[in-house]
Amino acid sequence: MFKSVEIRRALVFGLVVVALALSMKAFAKKVPNVRLGVLKYGTVNWEVDVIKHHNLDQKYGFNLDVLSLGSKNASAVALQSNAVDIILTDWLWVNRQRASEKDFSLFPTSIATGGLYVANDSPAKDVRDLANKRVGIAGGEVDKNWLLLQAYSLAQYGFDIKNLAQASFMSPVLLNVLMLRGELDGGINFWHYGARLKAEGYKLLVTVPEMLQALDIENDVPLLGWAFKKPWADRHAKSVKGFLQASLEAKQILYSSDEEWKRIRALTKAENDTVFASLKNEYRGGILHQFGPQELMATKQIFNVLAKHGGHSLVGKATHLDTQTFYTLDQSLLTWIPAVKDENAP
């Protein structure tokens, strides 16, 4: 009898374990995956690390599944082929896809920053002093800041920098090397390379905000954001909102917490304390704080400027900014990270 009781208890215990296992498995199935494609060595990995470290994906009801990719083109292909659900890209790419009847959308997250860097002891006072001088540009002939600089130079001084300066297109790494060697008189580079130039004592001859102001564009203009297929977003609205909330909370942490930056310092690959501080400050300065009607209008103006100077190579078949390029799921997400910095922010 004793054995039969023990057997029954064992059976009951086993059934409970099985039931719990099935229950946990069923629960796990209810947490949807969001597949994010990111550049293997991109700065976006800093934010992804914050999301994972603080379990923000679990907090907002999804599991973030990250796929590392080798290039920007690989990211675009991965999204188009449904290998991932979301990538980080610029709104011009999304607008170009929409002009080709591909239903993509983007939630903007960062603004255009940086500008034209020169050595701290450069004799150049403005862009006109770069006539016949060597200017390096990362990102190719349709780099947005290079196109903005062309428009700015013409509007502000009637100076055709595209044809009057000696422009050379190169990788961001080579550009910084040549700048540090003194083999370039000016350079336009991606923001984190610009931060490294600034840490080495280089200065901005003209900033992107100054370019925009000369073009009568007064509001922050988005550059990058989270892009996805609109039909997928409509079918997974809860997951999309959760992902955006997790992303914005991660940005808020990076915006306000110096301790968090210490934790992720190794990811930044900062060569020294000065570079690290420059990367932190430039990252914080590039966060988009809101996106409403005024910012949308400014983006329309920017499209016209970039289309004029970049042409078909940049905008494809698009003749205007499609307002459906930007994704708005919830009005509460249109204003996210406070523009007033707290005591821990720079």
Side-chain angles (χ1 to χ4, degrees), residues 56 89 168:
L56 298 180
T89 190
S168 299

Side-chain angles (χ1 to χ4, degrees), residues 51-121:
I51 291 174
K52 283 297 191 181
H53 179 77
H54 293 278
N55 296 314
L56 298 180
D57 53 347
Q58 303 303 311
K59 176 180 177 179
Y60 291 107
F62 70 98
N63 177 64
L64 186 60
D65 185 8
V66 182
L67 176 64
S68 294
L69 299 164
S71 68
K72 183 177 180 180
N73 286 341
S75 297
V77 171
L79 182 62
Q80 291 171 314
S81 64
N82 297 318
V84 297
D85 302 315
I86 301 175
I87 63 170
L88 185 73
T89 190
D90 62 79
W91 57 265
L92 279 161
W93 181 85
V94 172
N95 193 72
R96 179 173 179 148
Q97 301 308 307
R98 295 191 65 82
S100 296
E101 300 183 354
K102 297 176 182 177
D103 197 1
F104 288 89
S105 194
L106 177 141
F107 185 86
T109 60
S110 61
I111 63 175
T113 60
L116 176 65
Y117 281 91
V118 296
N120 194 48
D121 59 356

